[in-house]
Every structure is written in C-alpha cells, then in structure tokens.
C-alpha cells in the first residue's frame, strides 16, 4: 500500500473504535476491549511500517517528507490545507507513541479487573474493588479517543490539525481524570477526581487560548500553518525572524514562539501551570501513564520541538528572549518538581512530580537549543515513565488485593503502607527497578543516562553553566527520590497486613512492563554521542542525531557539540550519588511501621512541610485566582453590578438631586403634572432609595439602555467638540 | 413672520401640549383622548406640508384604528388602577433628565446639517403617484405586500394571545 | 415659509415626550400610548423630508404609510399581550411584571 | 404606470418567500380542518414546507452572476442574502420540529403560521437594501416574535416575557426608525446604495452621522442583544416557550447581524463616519462578550445561562465584524460562518432542553443531575453542543472561533483577540459545570428514563451531525460564507 495513504490511516482505527464502542459495543465488555486493542495494534503496525520505510529511505530531510494533503477550507485566494506528513521528527514519535499506547491498552484490561464478574458493591464512577469496573466499556472508548487524538496530533502536517488533536486530548484528559467521578475523600485537602478533571481541563485551556492566539498570529503573518511550508520558505522565515512585533524586544517569531510555548507550559505542566498534573493522578493508572508518558505531556514537548525554527528564530544559539524564558522556566521546573517529589508519600504523586521535573529538563534543553537532546530525552522518558507508572499501578493493584484479602482499610497508594514487596511481586520489582534506574540515569546501561547526559553535555558545551548546575542538582534529587521510592516500596518488611498479602498481577499487566523495560534499557544506545569513547563508535556514531537533524532546514541544523569528560563525570556522579544517598537513608534502614516519621523530615523541618505541601502553589492560586474569579462572577458582576450598582446609582442620584433641592416644585411644574403628595412620596422614597435593589422591571432595563445611549452621545459630543 | 408660520406654531403648541397631557394624565381615558387630539394635530401638521393624503390616513388609521383600540384596552383594564395612585414610577425624574439630554443631542445633531431652506413648489398629482408607487414592480410593491404579511401575522398573533385561557386540549 | 428645522424640532419634542412617557408611566397601556407618540413623531419627519426634498420621489410618504401599518400591527400585538396579562394576573403595571428577574 | 417591467427573474428571486406564504396558508387551513392527535401533523407540514422552500430556493433562486438590485432597489439578490435566507429556513424548520410536542403549542396552527411569518420577515431582512423594506422586514420579524413569545396561554411567564420583549423591542426599533428617518432626510434616499453615494459626497457632518449610527445601532443592538441593549435577553429567554427561545436566540439574532452588515458596511462606512463608530463597536464587542460570560457564571437556570452565553456569542460575532475595515471579505465571511455554527449548536442545546423539560418539568441546572443515566444519548448530544459552544475542536464552534481570532489578529486588533481568548476560557468553565451536573451528579430517586419522540430525534440527530460536520468537513459551508461575503462588495 502507498505509504502516504497509510499515514492518513494511522489515527483512524482508534477513532472508529471510539465510535463503535460508544454506539454499539458498550454492553459487551470483552468486545469493547477487543475492538480497542485491535484498533491500536493496527495503528501501531501501520506506524511502524511508515517509520521503518522512512528509515529505509535513508536520510531524507524535512524538505521532502512523506506528505499528503487535501484542500480543506478556501480562504479567499488560497486554501487552508489539511494533511498529514511524516518526517524525521515525528517518525520518532510514531516509533514510541503507538508502542506505549498498545502497552497501556493491554495493561488496562488487567487493571480494570477484567474477567471477574461485576460486583454489586462496585458503583459506576468509583474504583472497582471486587469485580470488573462497571464502566469498563466507557473507559476503553475514552482511551481510544485519546489514542486517536494523539496519533492525529503526531501525523499532522500543520498547526491547526495539531491543535485539534491537542484539544481533543484535553477533553479526553478531562473525561478520564474524572473517570472515577463518584470518588470522595474525607480529607478536605484532597482533590476528588471530578474537581481534578475540571482543574486539568481549565488549566490547560488557559494555556491553549494563548496558543490559539499564537496560531492565529502565525497564520496571519505566514498565510499558512503547514510546518514544511513555513520552515522551508527562507523569505518568510527571514521576515518572521526579523520583523519586530508589537512587544518591544520581540520579533514576530519570538512572540509567536512565546505564545505557543505557553501552550506547552500548560500541556506539559511547566511552572506555573503545573498544578493540574499531580491531581491528574486521580484518574485510573493507565490514564496516568497515557497522560504522563505516551500522549499528553509528550504532545506539549513535541509541539515546541516541532516549532523549533520559529522559537529559536532561525538560529539556535543567539540571544533570544523567548529562548531565555523557555530555558529559565524549564530549568526552574526541573528543580522545582524534583524538590517536591522528595517529600511525597503517594507512589503516583512522586512520579507525577518527577514527570514535571523531567519535562523541565526537556524544555530547558530546547531553550538552550539542544534540539536533539530534548527529542532524545522525550523518547527515552516516554518509555521509562510509562513503565514506572504502570509499575506503580501494578503495586497499587497488588496492595489492593491484599487489602481485600485481609479486610483492612488503608490508603493503597501511600508508600508508608507498603514495604517488602520485592519478594511478593518480583516481576513488578525488577521492571520497576529498571525504570527507576533509567529515570535516575544509572550510567551506561540505561536509556535515561544517555539522554540526560546529552542534555547536560549540551548545556556545558554551550556555556550555560548556571542551567547546568541547576540541572545537575535536579538530576541528583531525581536519583535520590527514585531510590527513596524503590526502598519504601520494595525493601524492608511489609508495614501493613495488606502489603504482606500483596501478590503479583496477571500477565496482561506484567507483559507490558517487561516489554517497556526492554526499551527503557536499549532505546538509549541509538543516541550515544559519537565522540564517546568506545561506545560512540560501537553504537553507530549517534544515528539518532544524524536522523533527527534532518527535520530542520540545513542552515538551522545544530552541530553536535564537542565531547568533554566533565559533564559525563558529573552526570555519573549525581546519578550514583543520588541513588547512594537515597539508599543510605531509606534502603539500609527501612521504615519500621507506617506511622514512623520520615527520617528526612526531622532534618529539614519546616522546609519539608513546605515541600510536602508543594510550596503552597495550589493554595496561592486558590486565593489569588479562584476566589476572586468567583467573587467577580457572582458577587461583583451579578449581585453588585447587575442588581445593585445600576439601580443603586439611579436611586443614589435620585436622593442626591432631591436633597440638593432641585426640589419638587421646579421639576414637577416643568415636566410633570405634579401631584400634591409628591413631596411626601419623595421623602419616603428617598429614604428607601438604597433598599430598592430590583430588576425584572422592563422600564429599568429601558432606562439603562437610554442612559447608555445618552452617555455615548455625550461622549461623542465631547470628543468632536474637544 | 408669515401666516403659515404662525399657524404652524399654534398647531405645534397644541400638539406638544396634548402630548404632554397624554404622558402626565392621571386618568387613562383622558390620556387616550388626549392621544387622539395629538394625532389629530399631527394630521394638521401634515396638511401644512401639503400632504393631504397622509393627513387622511393619519386620521383613518391612527385615530380610527389604533387610538380606538387603545381606548378599548384602557376601558377593559380600567379596574386595576384607580386615578388616585401615582401614574409614574419611581424613576420618572430620571426619565425627565434623560429625555432632555436626548432632545438636546437630537437638536445638536440636526443643527450641523445644511437643510433645504424651502419646499419644492410643485406637489400636484401625488396621490396617483403614491398609488402607482405601491403597485409598481420597480418601486415599492414588495414592501406593500410584506406589510400585508405583517398585518395578517399580527392579527393572528393578537387573536391567539388575547384568547381566554382554555384547558389544554 | 416654514423652515424644515421647525418640523424636525417639533418631531424631536414629540419623540422625547413619548420617550419620557415610556420610561416613566406605570401602566403598560399608557406606555403603548407613548410609543404611538414616538411613532407618529417619526412620520412628521418623513413627510417633512419628502416635502422639502425631491417631491417627485415619494419614498418619504411610502415610508410614512409603512410606519402606519407597522404601528397598527404593533398596537395589535402589544395590546393583546397586555390584555392577556391582565386576564391572568389582574395587573397592567409594567413594574409588577417581575416574575422573571436576576 | 408601467407593468411591463414585471420579470420572471423578480419572482424567482423571492420564490422561497412565496412558497412560505403558501405553506402558512396551508397550515392555517389544516388548523381549521384537523382534529385531535393529527393536529400535530402541522408541525411536520411546517418543517417540510420550510425545507421545501429551501430546496426550491437552491433550485431556482440561487443568485447567478453579479448581484442585482430588484423590485426598484428594495431588495438585493446576492449570495450573502441567499446564504442567510437558507440559514433562517433551516432554523425555522428545526424550530417547527422541536415545537411539536410542547404542551400548549404543538397543536396550534396559528403558532406555526406566525412562525412562518417571522421567517418571511427574516428572509427579507437578509435581502433588503432599502430602508423601507428593511424596517418593514425587521418589524415583521419582531412583531411575530413578540406574539410567539407570549403564545402560551396558560403561562404567566410567557405573557410577561412577551410584553417585556414587546416593550423593549418597540422602543428600540422606534429609536432606530428615527435614525432611519434622519438618514433618509439628510441624504434624500431610502436605498442603501443611494445613501452611501450621498454620504460619500460629504454633506452630512461627522457628529450627525455618528448620532444616526448610534440610533440605528440601538435597534440592531436589540436584535443581536449586544451590550447595553441586552437587558431584555435573559428575562425573555427564560419566560418564552423554549422553541421560541431557540428561534429568537439563533435566527433572530442572525437576522440582526445581516442587517448590521448591510447598513453599517454598505451605507454608513463610505465617508469619515467609519472611523467614528468603529471604536464604539469594538468597545461594544469586547464588553458584550465579557458581560455575557461573567454573568452566565452565576446562573442557576439553564435557559438564562444560555441567554447570557448567547450574549457572549453575539460579542464574538461583533469581533469579527469590527475587523471589516482592513479585512472586509474575511470579516464578513468569518461572521457568517460563526453564525452558521452558532445556529446549529444553539438549536441543538435548546432542543435538548425541551426534551429534558418535558420529562423533568424543570429548567433548573440542578435538576439536570444524573441526566446521563436517564438518557445517555441526550447527554452525549448535550456534550457535543456545549463543547461546541465552548469552542473545543473538532466541533463547529472551534472553527468559528478560529476564523474570528484569525480575522481579528489580521486586522491588528490584538487586544480584542486577547479579550476573546480570555472569555473563551471563562465560558468553558460554566459549560463544564453544567456537564458535570449532567454526567457526575446522581439522579434523583425514582427518576425515569427520558423518552425522545420522533420529531426531536430527527431534529437533534440532524443538528448533532451538522455540528460535527461544520467543524470537520467545513469546506462547502465555508465556501458559501466566502461567496456571500464577496458578493457584498
């Protein structure tokens, strides 16, 4: 079959699966997951056919991608085209995204307790405890839509189609994070899923509207949204990168880049819009894996990598306000997320903050112009983070089984309630260990090491010493909290009965873990720096970089940085150092009981409390935005302005005139057939004036309107006269 | 000041006076009668403009139909408001101010325009021309036809709304 | 000869008197009377403009006739609504009609 | 007297309206003849009649070649008017369908007849190019709509909202009429193109022109419910029979926009006046959107919520409109397309509300709790409608907003684009709150399944499909919008 046609078909099966499940298969659970799984496997196969035929064609450049489009909307003289394309960059995504998705789908089957009957105690909208999830089919429908949207975004050849996929994913995240909408917590500080869902959707929407403005701005400047047509049009790129925008110091490209980057800040949970992502943990774990690894946050990073020529304004290492902002936010987020992660007890939340931190690495890398390193880390991170999330889901699932066996009521996600799972869940342990080491950047054998090293090396080579230092600290903390997590979960003795009775899950959950472990190790070898002694040559002189830079126009392709030992040593040191410290604190002396105070808490004191509370960012947002918004929406606009002020003004002016003695007689003789009791009425009425807060009266409405007309008239009169 | 001007001023004064009586009267029946008077004076204004046909239409349509309709409505709803309670709402003085402001604005608007000083001399045959204008396809036949749609729709709507309540059938 | 301005001012006065009535009268039917004042003031405008403009072009008069028709239709529906409310709720005071608010 | 100028082309141009009159007569006839349950058939007859008028229009009245002024310049037979007429016919047909099972309306032939009269009025609003025709068309629409609003005999709210609508509308349209009379007086023309020519000569001073523009804006602002002429909207929308709320909030508003486009772009923008009223219009656009969205946040009644949301949508359409100075064709086509998407989406939302109110007897948002379990399909369609209103791709509302943002940014009105973007965000919030109630909150004890009768099924499925199609396979519709826009200039 024709390759370009195949690209069109990649996102189609999951979308069809969504429709099929919603419309026809929602009564049959087995049919639902069969349809969903088949559809994503089809997408996966098609993607890999496309990807490998792209690899096979050799180093063709972004100038000449697999491309297919239709005229979609006429816009006056030209057309807005809709199409799909695969070039060097998104072929990488097509390599790992469908694979992760298939793994997640397979995992979901076991995770939702498929095979057990529906239990009476399991209500729709709550996590299943005894039997299969009552909304099993709906779950697969949403998941399919999610996958379809992500694949649409991946193959899009233009920013608009990308945005469509982007927003549909936002919607799916809303639906899926709130999937267990019935869940409530006793703790008032905990965020129930239905709130988390709205929070996620709205926070990302804040960013999305800015991104949409960026898209509109780009479209109005360039006349097209097709990536290829913009980046390879030298004249246009010259204009974009040299014309000043309306904000001083920013060229048009800078401003567009900044607006688009805000989209990424939301989608990829960068500071200060990161708040939604930890709460997104309220969704079922496969959803977390989907959001954090395979799809959503990757989409944010992918978008700015895709728009790199605009963001970097043509060159990669020049002074550029947008790039500086990106670097700063990325580096800050990397450190910020990592520090919070060290003080969390929830097994998934640690990973959530870890994701925020790792995304910060990618963003910072991109901000420094490390195009290749950012993409490389995106890919390796997807593998090991999906692995870790599913591993954590497997742990939670195991502990929950234990809970039901011994009828205990504990929080199955709290690491303090675990311990000693190593022997009880061996497959989960070993795969989780591989993922954790990859995340920590364990030297030489894990993918995470190579990609993180690439970022650090690039930062060092291009003299971003501050960023380098910050990222090193973040990397150290990463290794530390990873080891903390592994120790608390797997080592020592079980601290609760549930943990004691936990046992390994069935094959649909463990198989994906094993597959992803493979990639978490070996995916790193394709991107080893070419000048790295021995290994560089051994692994083909960094084929990843050679492949990837092809996506860019020739004069923008970044050169490989010169290899130096210092960053490598640093990255080995922080990884091993972090792991070692983590082991010394938590692994060597495991917690004895679930109530024991965390040893570091004593050391850090109030700082720990602050970290545990995530620097109070949520609280700050609540006080600074949510409350005022409510106040504006309800009190100010509705109660005061709509009901109060307008009427109030009328009545206030009334009493004023009255008291000022414009007086009954004069006014009434001129204008009104005056009743004698006017005066008495007037006084009573003046006293009540401020009480008359009323609407629903048509004449008041008319009065407002006529006053508005008069004001407009007076305003124009003054403008013209003056 | 010519005779026609004096006549106009008298007519205008009467028009405005009766209009004021309409808006200020306590007794609604009287207000309605003052409305008839106002409309009648407007018909007189039309005659000063050599628009005899318009004057007739004014009397037939406005007074003969609309004003009478209003009078009926007033009679029909008479018992709910007696004449002693105030006929204006709390915001009447605002209404005065706003109306005056709007009036000043209108005068200000009109004052800037250079208007024709005197009317055209020849106004013969206008009734025939008007008749033609309403039926000729390259003039105003379409508004004429649409007006009939409007009137029928209003009639149907009016009857339907004013029907007494009935049990749902 | 009467200046055109006089007609315009007459119609403006009539219009604003009507506007005042619409804003101030309590009785819905009285408000409709005031609306008729506003409508009729406009016909003065239209006829005067016709007379002082191109007399052969009758659009001013046509417009005025159409305004009559509209006024009649408006009165029909408006009064029907007022009577309907009167029947159901025993009031014609505009400000008492506040079932729908906030 | 010259009757020889009657031409077939003249009649073909208004053939859909002639058909409509015949349909109205047929419905009135059926009203007399039909008895019992079969009276409901009048709804189908009306809907089919309106659709027939549409297809007859496409078959015979499609404007070919250059736009022509017909009937002595009272109408302009152009693509823009044609597109809007088709929109009105569809909206009218859907309204007839969603009226059929409303208690106290569905079996009344007079209701359908007046509805058709309103559609006739709108169709003439779309093509009128003469002040006389325009005023008459506006009033035909408005007066019919006042009557329709007060049609429920047994509802105090219906009558009250009818009277409020009437009073507000009559005053504003009278102010507009005063503006028309001055426009006629100072230029000597009633034809919009004649006026444009006369104004181009520059005899009318700037202040006067602005004054006239403001007066006319009062009337049009009422129809499109723009700030500060929107005060009637929530009350009337809440009290009116819901099909009429749907009709007024979509078709009637759209008709206001076509008048806005014709009067302000054709007649009032030919001399220095354009610089004068455009800033005012921009301010109105921004404030309208903001007020609509903010106040919507505090609503507890779904019809009032949609009323404020429709105010906000009027603001968006105005945003497209105010960009016309530098982007004339794109501005008009963006506004037209936005209105198409808005009509489809809002009608869908109101159809759902009617179905739900029939089952639950309430329009309060809190009573929507658990609707997804009482009727999943209804809930899914509501999700589609609300997400489209919120502008989420790939639904119709997104594409509409996209073109508006694009044209606003193209015109250099960045601040307006930012206002619009922030508002899009606020809007999403209250739409989501409603969807949360629908999907998440538990249904009351003993709540029954919601049954959807045939006419509603037809209407809602058609609308859902169009919301999706307008957002994805938008080419033909957007082509129409472009063709319309280019026929204006």
């Amino acid at each position: 079959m024709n390759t370009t046609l195949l690209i069109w078909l990649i996102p189609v099966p999951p979308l069809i699966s969504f429709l099929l499940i919603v419309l026809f298969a929602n009564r049959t659970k087995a049919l639902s997951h069969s349809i969903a799984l088949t559809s994503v496997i089809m997408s996966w196969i098609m993607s890999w056919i496309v990807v490998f035929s792209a690899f096979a064609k050799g180093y063709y450049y972004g100038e000449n991608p697999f491309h297919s489009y239709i005229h979609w909307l006429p816009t006056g003289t030209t057309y807005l085209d809709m199409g799909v394309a695969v070039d060097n960059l998104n072929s990488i995504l097509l390599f790992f995204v469908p694979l992760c998705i298939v793994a997640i789908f397979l995992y979901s089957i076991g995770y939702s307790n498929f095979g057990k009957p529906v239990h009476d105690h399991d209500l729709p909208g709550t996590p299943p405890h005894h039997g299969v999830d009552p909304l099993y089919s709906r779950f697969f429908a949403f998941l399919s839509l999610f996958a379809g949207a992500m694949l649409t975004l991946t193959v899009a050849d233009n920013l608009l189609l990308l945005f469509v996929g982007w927003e549909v994913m936002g919607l799916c995240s809303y639906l899926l994070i709130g999937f267990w909408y019935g869940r409530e917590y006793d703790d008032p500080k905990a965020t129930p899923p239905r709130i988390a869902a709205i929070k996620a959707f709205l926070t990302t929407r804040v960013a999305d509207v800015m991104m949409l403005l960026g898209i509109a701005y780009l479209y109005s400047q360039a006349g097209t949204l097709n990536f290829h047509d913009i980046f390879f049009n030298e004249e246009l790129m010259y204009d974009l990168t040299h014309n000043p925008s309306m904000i001083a110091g920013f060229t048009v490209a800078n401003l567009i880049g900044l607006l688009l980057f805000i989209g990424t800040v939301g989608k990829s949970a960068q500071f200060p819009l990161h708040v939604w992502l930890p709460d997104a943990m309220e969704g079922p774990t496969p959803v977390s894996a989907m959001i954090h690894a395979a799809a959503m946050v990757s989409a944010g990073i992918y978008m700015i990598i895709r728009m790199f020529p605009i963001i970097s304004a043509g060159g990669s290492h020049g002074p550029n306000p947008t790039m500086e902002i990106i670097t700063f936010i990325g580096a800050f987020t990397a450190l910020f997320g990592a520090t919070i992660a060290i003080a969390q007890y929830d097994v998934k939340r640690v990973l959530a903050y870890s994701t925020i931190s790792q995304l910060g690495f990618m963003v910072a890398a991109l901000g420094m112009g490390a195009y290749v390193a950012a993409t490389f880390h995106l890919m390796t991170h997807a593998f090991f983070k999906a692995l870790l999330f599913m591993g954590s889901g497997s742990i939670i699932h195991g502990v929950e089984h234990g809970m039901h066996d011994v009828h205990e009521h504990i929080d199955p996600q709290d690491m303090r309630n675990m311990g000693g799972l190593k022997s009880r869940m061996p497959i989960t342990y070993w795969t989780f260990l591989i993922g954790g080491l990859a995340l920590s950047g364990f030297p030489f054998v894990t993918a995470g090491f190579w990609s993180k090293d690439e970022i650090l090396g690039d930062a060092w080579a291009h003299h971003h010493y501050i960023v380098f230092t910050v990222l090193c600290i973040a990397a150290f903390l990463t290794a530390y909290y990873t080891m903390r997590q592994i120790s608390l979960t797997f080592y020592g003795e079980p601290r609760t009965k549930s943990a004691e009775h936990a046992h390994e899950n069935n094959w649909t959950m463990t198989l994906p873990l094993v597959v992803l472990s493979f990639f978490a190790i070996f995916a790193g070898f394709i991107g080893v720096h070419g000048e790295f002694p021995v290994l560089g040559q051994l692994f083909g002189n960094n084929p990843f970089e050679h492949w990837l830079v092809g996506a860019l126009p020739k004069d923008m392709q970044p050169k490989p940085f010169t290899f130096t030992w210092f960053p490598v040593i640093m990255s080995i040191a922080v990884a091993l150092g972090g792991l070692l410290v983590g082991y010394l604190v938590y692994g060597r002396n495991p917690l004895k009981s679930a109530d024991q105070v965390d040893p570091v808490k004593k050391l850090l004191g109030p700082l720990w409390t602050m970290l545990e509370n995530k620097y109070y960012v949520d609280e700050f947002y609540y006080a600074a935005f949510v409350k005022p918004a409510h106040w504006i929406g309800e009190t100010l606009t509705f109660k005061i302005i709509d009901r109060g002020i307008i009427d109030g003004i009328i009545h206030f002016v009334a009493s004023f005139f009255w008291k000022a003695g414009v007086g009954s007689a004069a006014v009434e003789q001129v204008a009104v057939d005056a009743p004698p009791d006017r005066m008495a009425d007037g006084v009573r009425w003046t006293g009540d004036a401020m009480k008359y807060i009323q609407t629903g009266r048509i004449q008041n409405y008319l009065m407002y309107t006529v006053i508005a007309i008069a004001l407009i008239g007076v305003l124009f009169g003054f403008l013209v006269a003056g | 000041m010519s005779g026609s001007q004096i006549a106009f001023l008298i007519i205008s004064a009467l028009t405005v006076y009766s209009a004021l009586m309409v808006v200020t009267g306590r007794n609604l029946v009287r207000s309605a009668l003052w409305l008839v008077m106002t409309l009648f004076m407007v018909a007189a204004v039309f005659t000063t403009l050599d628009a005899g046909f318009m004057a007739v239409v004014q009397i037939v349509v406005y007074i003969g139909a609309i004003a009478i309709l209003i009078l009926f409505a007033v009679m029909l709803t008479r018992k709910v408001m007696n004449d002693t309670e105030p006929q204006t709402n709390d915001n009447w003085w605002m209404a005065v101010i706003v109306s005056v402001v709007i009036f000043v604005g209108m005068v200000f608007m009109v004052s800037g325009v250079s208007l024709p000083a005197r009317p055209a001399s020849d106004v013969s045959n206008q009734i025939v021309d008007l008749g033609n204008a309403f039926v000729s396809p390259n003039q105003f036949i379409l508004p004429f036809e649409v007006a009939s749609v409007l009137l029928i729709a209003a009639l149907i709507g009016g009857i339907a709304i004013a029907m007494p309540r009935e049990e749902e059938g | 000869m009467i200046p055109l301005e006089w007609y315009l001012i007459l119609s403006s006065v009539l219009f604003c008197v009507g506007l005042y009535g619409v804003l101030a009268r309590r009785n819905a039917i009285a408000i409709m009377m005031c609306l008729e004042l506003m409508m009729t003031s406009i016909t003065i405008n239209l006829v005067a403009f016709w007379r002082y403009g191109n007399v052969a072009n009758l659009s001013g008069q046509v417009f005025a006739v159409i305004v009559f028709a509209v006024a009649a239709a408006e009165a029909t529906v408006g009064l029907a609504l007022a009577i309907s409310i009167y029947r159901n709720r025993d009031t014609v005071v505009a400000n008492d009609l506040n079932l729908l608010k906030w | 007297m010259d009757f020889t100028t009657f031409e077939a082309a003249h009649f073909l141009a208004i053939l859909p309206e002639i058909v409509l009159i015949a349909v109205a007569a047929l419905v009135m006839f059926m009203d007399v003849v039909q008895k019992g349950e079969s009276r409901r058939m009048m709804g189908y007859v009306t809907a089919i009649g309106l659709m027939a008028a549409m297809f007859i229009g496409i078959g015979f009245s499609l404007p070919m070649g250059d736009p022509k002024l017909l009937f002595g310049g009272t109408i302009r037979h152009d693509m823009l008017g044609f597109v809007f007429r088709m929109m009105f016919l569809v909206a009218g047909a859907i309204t007839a369908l969603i009226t059929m099972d409303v208690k106290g309306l569905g079996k009344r032939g007079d209701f359908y007849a007046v509805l058709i009269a309103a559609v006739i009025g709108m169709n003439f609003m779309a093509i009128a190019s003469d002040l006389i025709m325009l005023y008459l068309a506006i009033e035909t629409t408005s007066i019919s709509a006042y009557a329709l609003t007060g049609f429920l005999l047994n509802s105090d709210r219906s009558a009250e909202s009818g009277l409020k609508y009437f009073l507000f509308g009559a005053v504003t349209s009278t102010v507009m009429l005063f503006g028309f009379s001055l426009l006629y007086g100072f230029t000597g023309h009633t034809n919009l193109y004649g006026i444009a020519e006369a104004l181009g000569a520059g005899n009318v001073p700037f202040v006067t022109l602005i004054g006239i523009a403001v007066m006319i804006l009062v009337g049009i602002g009422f129809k499109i419910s723009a700030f500060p002429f929107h005060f009637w909207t929530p009350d009337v929308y809440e009290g009116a029979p819901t099909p009429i709320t749907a009709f007024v909030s979509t078709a009637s508003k759209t008709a206001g926009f076509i008048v806005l486009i014709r009067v302000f772009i054709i007649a009032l923008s030919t001399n220095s006046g354009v610089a004068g009223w455009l800033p005012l219009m921009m301010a109105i656009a921004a404030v309208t959107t903001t007020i609509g969205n903010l106040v919507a946040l505090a609503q507890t009644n779904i019809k009032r919520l949609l009323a404020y949301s429709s105010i906000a949508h009027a603001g968006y359409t105005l945003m497209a409109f105010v960009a016309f100075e530098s982007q004339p064709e794109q501005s008009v086509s963006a506004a037209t397309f936005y209105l198409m998407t808005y009509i489809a989406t809002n009608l869908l939302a109101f159809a759902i509300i009617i179905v739900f109110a029939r089952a639950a007897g309430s329009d309060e948002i809190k009573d929507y709790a658990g609707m997804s379990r009482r009727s999943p399909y209804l809930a899914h369609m509501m999700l589609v409608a609300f997400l489209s209103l919120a502008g989420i791709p790939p639904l119709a509302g997104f594409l509409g907003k996209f073109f508006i943002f694009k044209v606003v940014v193209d015109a250099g009105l960045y601040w307006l684009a930012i206002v619009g973007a922030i508002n899009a965000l606020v809007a999403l919030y209250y739409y989501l709150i409603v969807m949360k109630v629908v999907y998440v909150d538990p249904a009351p004890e003993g709540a029954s399944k919601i049954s959807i009768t045939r006419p509603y099924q037809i209407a809602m499925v058609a609308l859902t499909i169009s919301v999706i199609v307008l957002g994805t396979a938008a080419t033909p519709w957007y082509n129409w919008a472009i063709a319309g826009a280019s026929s204006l200039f």
Side-chain angles (χ1 to χ4, degrees), chain A residues 72-74 167 219-220 696 701, chain D residues 164 235 403 410 472 475 478-479:
Chain A
W72 186 51
L73 279 183
E167 284 288 277
Y219 189 38
S220 78
Y701 300 166
Chain D
K164 283 182 175 177
D235 285 13
F403 286 118
D410 268 358
T472 48
T475 316
Y478 193 66
N479 261 329

Side-chain angles (χ1 to χ4, degrees), chain A residues 34-366:
Chain A
S34 311
I35 292 174
L37 194 60
T38 314
S39 75
V40 289
I41 288 175
M42 281 168 69
S43 291
W44 172 45
I45 293 170
M46 288 192 289
S47 304
W48 278 28
I49 292 174
V50 171
V51 169
F52 286 107
S53 53
F55 290 157
K57 268 183 89 176
Y59 296 114
Y60 70 93
Y61 289 95
E63 237 174 312
N64 185 24
F66 285 131
H67 185 209
S68 165
Y69 66 93
I70 50 162
H71 289 319
W72 186 51
L73 279 183
T75 52
T77 49
T78 58
Y79 282 91
L80 187 56
D81 292 336
M82 239 343 118
V84 294
V86 170
D87 68 357
N88 308 37
L89 173 56
N90 59 1
S91 63
I92 309 257
L93 265 85
L94 281 182
F95 176 75
F96 72 80
V97 169
L99 179 67
C100 291
I101 289 176
V102 171
I104 291 167
F105 271 61
L106 184 61
Y107 176 87
S108 303
I109 296 172
Y111 184 80
S112 305
N113 291 341
F114 180 74
K116 300 186 184 175
V118 180
H119 196 279
D120 292 342
H121 285 92
D122 290 333
L123 298 172
T126 53
H129 290 309
H130 309 280
V132 66
D133 195 316
L135 298 177
Y136 188 78
S137 297
R138 187 194 280 200
F139 183 70
F140 276 97
F142 290 162
L143 222 48
S144 300
L145 183 61
F146 204 143
M150 181 64 196
L151 291 170
T152 309
L153 179 145
T154 310
V155 296
D157 77 334
N158 64 69
L159 208 45
L160 191 64
L161 187 59
L162 185 147
F163 189 71
V164 171
W166 179 280
E167 284 288 277
V168 174
M169 266 203 287
L171 173 66
C172 292
S173 70
Y174 166 74
L175 295 170
L176 284 167
I177 292 170
F179 190 74
W180 285 334
Y181 52 77
R183 212 178 198 187
E184 292 291 347
Y185 297 113
D186 301 331
D187 180 5
K189 280 180 83 179
T191 319
R194 56 194 169 78
I195 304 287
I198 290 182
K199 188 171 168 185
F201 202 9
L202 282 180
T203 314
T204 50
R205 272 294 279 195
V206 173
D208 291 351
V209 288
M210 290 298 151
M211 178 176 164
L212 186 58
L213 281 184
I215 294 174
Y217 194 26
L218 178 61
Y219 189 38
S220 78
Q221 295 293 322
T224 172
L225 288 173
N226 185 299
F227 304 128
H228 176 264
D229 292 352
I230 295 172
F231 303 151
F232 289 86
N233 183 340
E234 282 181 24
E235 203 180 333
L236 176 64
M237 282 306 285
Y238 185 86
D239 287 346
L240 287 178
T241 52
H242 288 81
N243 291 345
S245 71
M246 67 264 187
I247 294 180
F250 282 78
T251 64
V252 172
N254 288 156
L255 189 61
I256 293 171
L258 188 63
L259 287 169
L260 293 178
F261 174 65
I262 294 174
T264 297
V265 170
K267 212 61 155 186
S268 295
Q270 297 297 289
F271 182 85
L273 296 180
H274 65 279
V275 287
W276 65 271
L277 194 131
D279 286 338
M281 292 299 110
E282 296 299 332
T285 304
V287 176
S288 308
M290 197 80 169
I291 291 175
H292 289 255
M296 198 148 127
V297 295
S298 304
I301 305 291
Y302 167 67
M303 193 271 292
I304 44 166
I305 295 177
R306 177 50 91 190
M307 300 312 288
F308 184 73
I310 295 278
I311 286 164
S312 64
S316 36
H317 294 292
N320 176 335
T322 303
M323 294 284 270
E324 276 157 24
I325 292 169
I326 294 176
T327 314
F328 173 78
I329 288 190
F332 180 79
T333 310
L335 184 60
F336 177 83
T339 53
I340 296 177
I342 65 172
Q344 299 300 313
Y345 296 113
D346 186 312
V347 65
K348 280 169 76 182
R349 264 175 206 270
V350 174
L351 293 175
Y353 283 103
S354 152
T355 305
I356 293 176
S357 166
Q358 295 301 307
L359 294 169
F361 272 87
M362 300 170 208
V363 170
L366 200 80

Side-chain angles (χ1 to χ4, degrees), chain D residues 416-468:
Chain D
L416 200 56
I418 290 170
V419 169
I422 292 171
N423 267 298
L425 192 65
V426 175
L428 180 70
Y429 183 71
Y430 58 80
Y431 293 128
L432 279 188
I433 294 293
V434 177
M435 291 327 293
K436 191 206 87 179
V437 174
V438 167
Y439 274 98
V440 173
D441 291 356
E445 286 294 316
S448 56
K449 291 266 172 205
I450 297 171
S451 65
I452 310 175
T453 51
R454 184 54 51 81
Y456 293 85
Q457 288 172 358
I458 298 170
M460 292 197 300
V461 168
L463 288 170
T464 310
I465 291 172
S466 25
V467 168
I468 293 167

Side-chain angles (χ1 to χ4, degrees), chain D residues 128-211:
Chain D
S129 64
D130 184 287
L131 291 182
I132 298 174
M133 191 66 220
L134 199 57
Y135 177 68
L136 190 59
I138 291 174
E139 288 302 307
T140 306
T141 310
S142 299
I143 292 173
S144 306
Y146 308 148
L148 292 170
T149 308
F151 234 81
L152 277 179
L153 291 175
N154 294 331
S155 161
D156 290 351
R157 287 166 175 261
S158 167
E160 176 180 324
S161 71
L163 190 68
K164 283 182 175 177
Y165 192 20
F166 167 77
L167 288 176
F168 205 98
V171 173
T172 49
S173 75
T174 310
V175 174
M176 176 178 71
L177 181 59
F178 202 94
F180 279 178
S181 76
L182 293 181
L183 202 53
Y184 158 66
F186 296 152
T187 61
H189 291 273
T190 53
N191 191 291
L192 294 181
Y193 291 85
I195 291 168
E197 207 173 301
L199 289 179
N203 293 329
V204 182
F206 178 73
V207 180
T208 313
L209 201 54
I210 293 298

